[in-house]
Amino acid sequence: MKDIAVIVLAAGLGTRMKSKAVKVLHPLAGRPMLLHTLANVMALKPEKVVAVLGHQSKDVAKVLPDGVMTALQKEQLGTAHAAMTGLKKLTGFTGTVVVVAGDTPLLGTDTFRMLLERHRLARAEVSLLTARLTDPTGYGRIIRDEAGVSRIVEHKDANDFERAIDEVNAGTYCFEAGALKAALKRVKSDNVQEEFYLTDVVEITRARGGRVLGVETDRPEEALGINSRADLAKAEKTVRGWINRKLMDAGVTMTDPDTTYIGPDVVIGRDTIIQPGNHISGDTVIGEGCMLLPGNIISGSVIKDGVTIKGYSVLTDAVVETGAAVGPFAHIRPGSSIGQDARVGNFVELKKTSLGDGAKASHLSYLGDAEIGRDVNVGAGTITCNYDGYGKFKTVIEDCVFVGSDTQFVAPVRVGRGAVIAAGSTVTQDVPEDALAISRTAQTNKPGWAGRRRAIKEKKGKK
Ligand code: UD1
Ligand code: CA
C-alpha cells in the first residue's frame, strides 16, 4: 500500500516475562514473536518499516528480515518516546504511520488492512484498533463520547468505573505523520508509571479538535498482548488452534487437536490421520493418507503418501518414501532416507543412512553412514561400526542382501548383491556378490558337561 510507513515498538525488556532474553525474541509457534508481527505488517507492502530496538538490540537486529530499518531507543521512557524514536527515521514522510506493538503477534494482516481502510475512509488523524475482552485487566481502556474516542486510560491509572469498561486498546494505531509528530511533542509523563504514553496522543489530538476513530476488531482473540509467560502460553494455544483448524478444513483428521502440535510452515495432505501427542515442526511435508500414531516428534522431514509412523518415533531432516512404515520407538536422524514400502521397526536408529525400497530393519539396530540397497533384510541387533574414535566410515550393503541377526559391520566395508551374512558375524572385509560370510568361532558341544556340573554343585550344597 502506498503512503504507509510502519513503526514496530520492540525496545522493552519485558520485565513481567522474568527472562534473561528480551520479550520480542521469545518464540511463538517456533519463531520469535516479533517476526509474526513483522510478517503480518510487511504483507501490507509499506514504503518503510522501522523497528524500535533497545534491550539486546544486537540480538533482535539479527533476526530482522531484510528491508526493516532500526531505531535505537537507549532508555525506555514509554511507548510515546519509542514512537518518537521511530519517527525520527521517517523524516520527509508525510503519509500514514502505522504503529504496532512488538508484543501483539496475533494481529493479522487483514486486521491491519481493515484498520487502515477505515482510517482512510473516515479521513481521521488518529485511528486505533480496539477489542472487547472478557478479561480486560492490564490493558488501556477506551473512553468514548459522541465524537469518537476521547481518551485512553491505562489500567494502572484507571478508577473502578473506568476499569469496568471492557473495550481495550489493542496497541495498534494509524496516525497521519504530521499529527503524530505534533502530538508526541506534547506528551507528558504525569502518570502512575511516570512514562510517556503513546495513548495520550488521543487526548492531545482531540483537544486540538482532531478526529480520533476507534475501530473495534471482530477478532478479539488477536488482540492478546504478551506480557507474561502465561500470555505466551495462551497465544501458543490460539495459534495452534488456527493451524489445526486450517489443516482439518483442508482434509486432515486429528483425533485430538488440543494435543497436536504443528508448526506454521508444515504441509499435510488429505486423509492423513494424526493421533494425539504428535509434534510436527519446521518445513516438514507429509503426504496424503498417512497414519501417525501417538507421540512422534517430526521436524524438517519429507514423508510421502501412505506412510505409517507407529508412535513414539523421532524423525529429524529425514525422507520417508511412499508406503513405508517407521517405529514404534524409531530414531531417524538427519540425512536418512527410507525407501518405498520399507520397514523400520522398534529401537532402530538411522543416521545418514539410506534404506532401499522394500528393505527391512525391524528390530534393535544402529545403522549409521550406511547405504543399504533394496529388499535387504537387516536382522535384529545389527550394528554398523562407523566410528573408530577419529573418523566416520561408510558401510555399503547392495540389493537383496540378507543380514543375519547380531551382525557388526566394521566400516569401511562393502557387501555385494545377494550375499548372506551369517548371524552373529563381525564383518571386517568386503563380501563378494552371492557369497556367504560367516565370522564366528565354530561351536563345540561337550556332551554331558552340564549334567556333571549340576551333580557336583548339588552335592556341595547338601553339606
Ligand atoms: C500498551 C498500551 C495499552 C494497550 C496495550 C496493548 C501504552 C501506554 N499502553 O500497554 O494501552 O492496551 O499496550 O497490548 O502504550 N516499548 C518500547 N519502548 C518503551 C516502552 C515500550 O519499545 O519505552 C514497547 C515494548 O517493548 C512493547 C510495546 O512497546 O513491545 C508495548 O509496551 P508494554 O510495556 O508492553 O505496554 P503495555 O503496558 O502492554
Ligand atoms: Ca504489552
Side-chain angles (χ1 to χ4, degrees):
M1 285 169 108
K2 271 195 75 185
D3 294 328
I4 288 170
V6 175
I7 298 175
V8 182
L9 310 183
L13 175 63
T15 319
R16 290 164 279 180
M17 294 294 282
K18 307 272 164 64
S19 174
K20 282 185 188 162
V22 64
K23 177 164 71 177
V24 292
L25 287 184
H26 278 258
L28 170 66
R31 67 165 92 101
M33 70 167 89
L34 179 61
L35 297 191
H36 290 263
T37 301
L38 281 172
N40 293 343
V41 288
M42 285 172 90
L44 299 169
K45 298 201 169 32
E47 280 177 31
K48 288 171 177 174
V49 181
V50 183
V52 180
L53 309 183
H55 282 278
Q56 298 167 25
S57 56
K58 285 196 185 119
D59 297 329
V60 181
K62 269 186 216 150
V63 308
L64 296 177
D66 290 345
V68 176
M69 297 185 286
T70 58
L72 191 65
Q73 187 196 19
K74 288 197 191 104
E75 260 186 298
Q76 287 71 51
L77 305 178
T79 45
H81 180 252
M84 178 72 105
T85 308
L87 199 59
K88 283 187 182 143
K89 292 276 162 173
L90 297 175
T91 40
F93 179 80
T94 54
T96 306
V97 181
V98 179
V99 177
V100 219
D103 64 350
T104 51
L106 303 185
L107 290 169
T109 304
D110 289 347
T111 304
F112 293 129
R113 189 175 286 122
M114 183 275 295
L115 178 67
L116 262 162
E117 281 167 1
R118 294 282 302 274
H119 173 75
R120 293 198 155 167
L121 209 65
R123 295 178 183 276
E125 279 176 283
V126 177
S127 298
L128 54 105
L129 188 71
T130 77
R132 276 186 203 282
L133 302 184
T134 38
D135 180 12
T137 310
Y139 293 86
R141 306 298 207 284
I142 304 296
I143 316 290
R144 285 183 182 264
D145 61 13
E146 334 61 66
V149 178
S150 61
R151 189 158 77 79
I152 299 173
V153 56
E154 288 305 293
H155 182 91
K156 286 181 182 158
D157 298 296
N159 59 35
D160 288 348
F161 176 74
E162 291 160 339
R163 284 187 181 178
I165 296 170
D166 67 350
E167 187 180 18
V168 305
N169 171 27
T172 288
Y173 320 78
C174 295
F175 299 104
E176 287 315 296
L180 176 61
K181 200 172 171 189
L184 283 176
K185 284 184 186 152
R186 302 182 56 187
V187 174
K188 296 195 187 71
S189 58
D190 52 350
N191 51 57
V192 172
Q193 305 191 81
E194 297 183 333
E195 281 183 9
F196 295 92
Y197 289 166
L198 180 56
T199 46
D200 286 356
V201 167
V202 170
E203 216 177 335
I204 294 166
T205 304
R206 279 293 297 271
R208 230 187 357 86
R211 173 109 203 269
V212 180
L213 183 73
V215 182
E216 188 190 326
T217 174
D218 57 0
R219 299 176 187 178
E221 70 281 6
E222 284 187 3
L224 177 69
I226 295 172
N227 297 315
S228 64
R229 307 266 183 171
D231 293 332
L232 185 58
K234 198 173 165 192
E236 197 75 57
K237 194 170 179 177
T238 302
V239 174
R240 182 159 74 243
W242 290 343
I243 293 171
N244 290 353
R245 180 59 204 258
K246 205 169 152 193
L247 286 165
M248 289 188 283
D249 287 348
V252 175
T253 291
M254 290 179 195
T255 52
D256 184 13
D258 289 344
T259 61
T260 301
Y261 303 81
I262 300 177
D265 302 321
V266 172
V267 176
I268 305 179
R270 283 179 193 226
D271 293 321
T272 283
I273 298 175
I274 303 179
Q275 296 195 5
N278 275 280
H279 294 245
I280 308 169
S281 62
D283 52 359
T284 296
V285 178
I286 298 179
E288 298 188 355
C290 293
M291 171 62 100
L292 273 64
L293 273 70
N296 303 299
I297 302 171
I298 302 171
S299 62
S301 295
V302 176
I303 294 173
K304 304 276 178 72
D305 297 342
V307 167
T308 303
I309 310 284
K310 288 185 185 166
Y312 305 103
S313 295
V314 178
L315 291 85
T316 310
D317 302 340
V319 177
V320 184
E321 297 293 340
T322 308
V326 176
F329 304 104
H331 188 187
I332 314 301
R333 294 170 51 200
S336 296
S337 64
I338 295 168
Q340 197 175 323
D341 298 318
R343 297 277 177 274
V344 173
N346 45 207
F347 308 107
V348 173
E349 175 180 348
L350 260 58
K351 190 223 64 173
K352 261 195 200 166
T353 285
S354 61
L355 199 61
D357 294 349
K360 287 184 189 131
S362 298
H363 337 262
L364 301 157
S365 289
Y366 171 65
L367 305 170
D369 301 301
E371 204 181 293
I372 299 171
R374 61 190 314 238
D375 296 318
V376 168
N377 181 83
V378 178
T382 296
I383 287 174
T384 54
C385 311
N386 59 330
Y387 182 52
D388 66 357
Y390 296 94
K392 296 282 169 70
F393 302 93
K394 205 165 171 183
T395 300
V396 179
I397 301 174
E398 293 180 3
D399 296 345
C400 306
V401 166
F402 182 92
V403 179
S405 295
D406 193 25
T407 293
Q408 303 101 52
F409 291 102
V410 181
V413 72
R414 181 176 201 101
V415 181
R417 191 190 157 87
V420 171
I421 313 294
S425 293
T426 301
V427 180
T428 54
Q429 293 165 34
D430 288 358
V431 179
E433 219 179 283
D434 288 332
L436 166 70
I438 177 161
S439 79
R440 58 191 187 214
T441 322
Q443 184 173 330
T444 45
N445 290 339
K446 302 194 173 173
W449 184 93
R452 287 196 297 280
R453 175 172 171 270
R454 200 180 309 117
I456 293 165
K457 296 281 184 198
E458 279 170 6
K459 209 170 152 190
K460 274 190 182 164
K462 275 177 192 153
K463 272 186 192 165

